Amino acid sequence: MKRFHVHVHVEDLAKSVAFYAKLFAAEPTRLEGDYAKWMLEDPRINFAISSRGGQPGVDHLGFQTDDAAELAELKARAQAADMALLDEGTTTCCYAESEKHWVTDPQGVAWEHFHTLANIPTFNQKAPESSAACCTPPRGKPVGIPVKSASSCC
């Protein structure tokens, strides 16, 4: 089953964690000095916030899959939408190693489709077979060439 994903950049992580913990009636599933994530079941959502890079507000949307077959299904749908697709393959981002690809909608909103393979102990630690740095495609432009540095992503 797929899980909806939202990533928001925040100015004050502690203040935002306190707000979302009350809003969701749950503490974060993962909490780091620059990042927090809730894996909620009702509604089924992976909601992440970070104070690392980017302007405050919604950074990207997406779907997290439970397995490689679901990820392949999402990739086929994205390709059928006739939008450019950025396939990162196996990469690291936001304290996780994932298989992922990106597509940008006609309004310029980046959509991330990913299957998490493992948690990692440090932000954006490189996997041996990692391809690109974890980078949200530029807003308002088709995907294809990552423009953010690894230190400003996720």
Side-chain angles (χ1 to χ4, degrees):
M1 177 184 291
K2 296 165 203 74
R3 182 182 299 266
F4 192 71
H5 171 62
V6 176
H7 187 115
V8 176
H9 286 290
V10 299
E11 288 182 351
D12 185 327
L13 189 75
K15 187 175 183 178
S16 296
V17 166
F19 170 80
Y20 287 114
K22 290 175 186 163
L23 184 68
F24 299 147
E27 292 300 315
T29 311
R30 176 114 192 217
L31 181 60
E32 301 292 340
D34 58 356
Y35 176 85
K37 175 175 72 174
W38 287 261
M39 295 289 279
L40 303 172
E41 293 302 323
D42 185 18
R44 191 164 158 81
I45 187 169
N46 171 339
F47 185 86
I49 61 175
S50 67
S51 59
R52 187 182 281 260
Q55 295 294 329
V58 175
D59 182 71
H60 63 272
L61 305 173
F63 289 108
Q64 179 179 8
T65 67
D66 288 338
D67 58 47
E70 287 179 338
L71 185 62
E73 175 190 345
L74 288 176
K75 187 174 184 178
R77 289 182 192 176
Q79 289 169 325
D82 291 329
M83 299 300 286
L85 183 106
L86 172 63
D87 190 345
E88 289 191 280
T90 302
T91 189
T92 60
C93 182
C94 301
Y95 299 97
E97 179 181 355
S98 301
E99 179 79 20
K100 74 167 68 180
H101 61 267
W102 296 88
V103 66
T104 304
D105 79 3
Q107 289 68 238
V109 177
W111 282 81
E112 174 187 31
H113 296 161
F114 63 101
H115 172 60
T116 300
L117 304 170
N119 286 323
I120 57 175
T122 57
F123 186 90
N124 202 30
Q125 169 186 314
K126 296 292 181 203
E129 61 280 343
S130 177
S131 58
C134 150
C135 295
T136 306
R139 184 161 175 80
K141 297 181 181 181
V143 296
I145 301 173
V147 296
K148 293 185 181 179
S149 68
S151 64
S152 67
C153 66
C154 293

